[in-house]
Amino acid sequence: MRALLLCGLLLLAGCWTGGPFYQPADAVPAIPAGGYDFTFTEGPNAPRQNGVVQVAIRPDGLTTITEQSPEPGVATVMVLGFAPLPDSRDRFVAWIVRALHYDRSGGRNAYAVLVREANGTFRLSVPACVPGPTTEIAQAAGATPFRRQEDDLFDCRFPDHASLLAALRRFDADPPDIVEMLTFRPRD
């Protein structure tokens, strides 16, 4: 299975969600357009999945990440927005608008943290709503876990922008070992 496809499926398997706290007008081009090698992991002992993606900035400010399939004309696409995480230079709130063919817009945006590292690498850490530290962080900030009827998985829903930011700051300050992570390295 292609790495971005696997990541997209896992991103949908219980996330931190909330209302449309950000709009395309809030988006900044946090990851420059171009080609990237990427690695996807679900935790420190999980197998790594690797791939190559193309990053493009859309006219509306959102970012498209596309992984080409070995099959001609087939691609896996994610659409995200990035906004600076307040009081942080190289960290961004990431909101996932589309993963695979699933629309995550409106009240179903999924949220994550993007970190720009000194060597030009970008790390997207996606907190999941599963029993353990990430759900505890979300609940301490005011999120409510709820079971999605369509697939019987849990999302941690944040009631407002402030509670989301509080949880993302805490998550970023001390990320749990078990977290879904995408690392993007510019291609030479």
Side-chain angles (χ1 to χ4, degrees):
M1 181 176 287
R2 296 190 329 260
L4 195 58
L5 175 62
L6 176 63
C7 172
L9 290 171
L10 292 170
L11 285 174
L12 299 170
C15 346
W16 284 12
T17 64
F21 304 137
Y22 295 91
Q23 300 300 318
D26 300 315
V28 299
I31 303 175
Y36 291 83
D37 292 314
F38 82 96
T39 304
F40 170 70
T41 58
E42 292 181 78
N45 300 318
R48 297 175 182 267
Q49 301 286 326
N50 298 307
V52 176
V53 294
Q54 189 68 32
V55 172
I57 310 303
R58 297 176 6 165
D60 65 0
L62 296 176
T63 298
T64 301
I65 300 175
T66 305
E67 181 183 26
Q68 291 298 321
S69 167
E71 301 171 37
V74 177
T76 301
V77 178
M78 291 177 64
V79 178
L80 304 94
F82 301 105
L85 187 61
D87 304 322
S88 178
R89 284 182 11 152
D90 294 325
R91 285 160 165 64
F92 302 85
V93 174
W95 69 97
I96 301 160
V97 178
R98 183 177 272 312
L100 307 174
H101 61 278
Y102 295 98
D103 184 357
R104 300 294 297 180
S105 63
R108 295 177 40 96
N109 282 6
Y111 292 96
V113 175
L114 177 75
V115 176
R116 178 178 29 213
E117 298 181 350
N119 63 0
T121 297
F122 296 87
R123 181 175 28 93
L124 181 66
S125 298
V126 184
C129 190
V130 295
T134 56
T135 299
E136 291 167 12
I137 291 169
Q139 288 179 303
T144 304
F146 76 96
R147 188 179 305 270
R148 300 185 321 212
Q149 292 180 354
E150 67 271 15
D151 53 20
D152 206 33
L153 297 172
F154 281 89
D155 278 349
C156 289
R157 178 162 312 257
F158 288 87
D160 54 42
H161 185 249
S163 64
L164 172 69
L165 285 179
L168 288 174
R169 282 189 184 110
R170 184 167 169 216
F171 172 80
D172 179 56
D174 188 21
D177 283 343
I178 299 175
V179 64
E180 296 168 5
M181 188 179 313
L182 281 162
T183 304
F184 299 94
R185 290 175 190 81
R187 300 200 83 198
D188 295 331

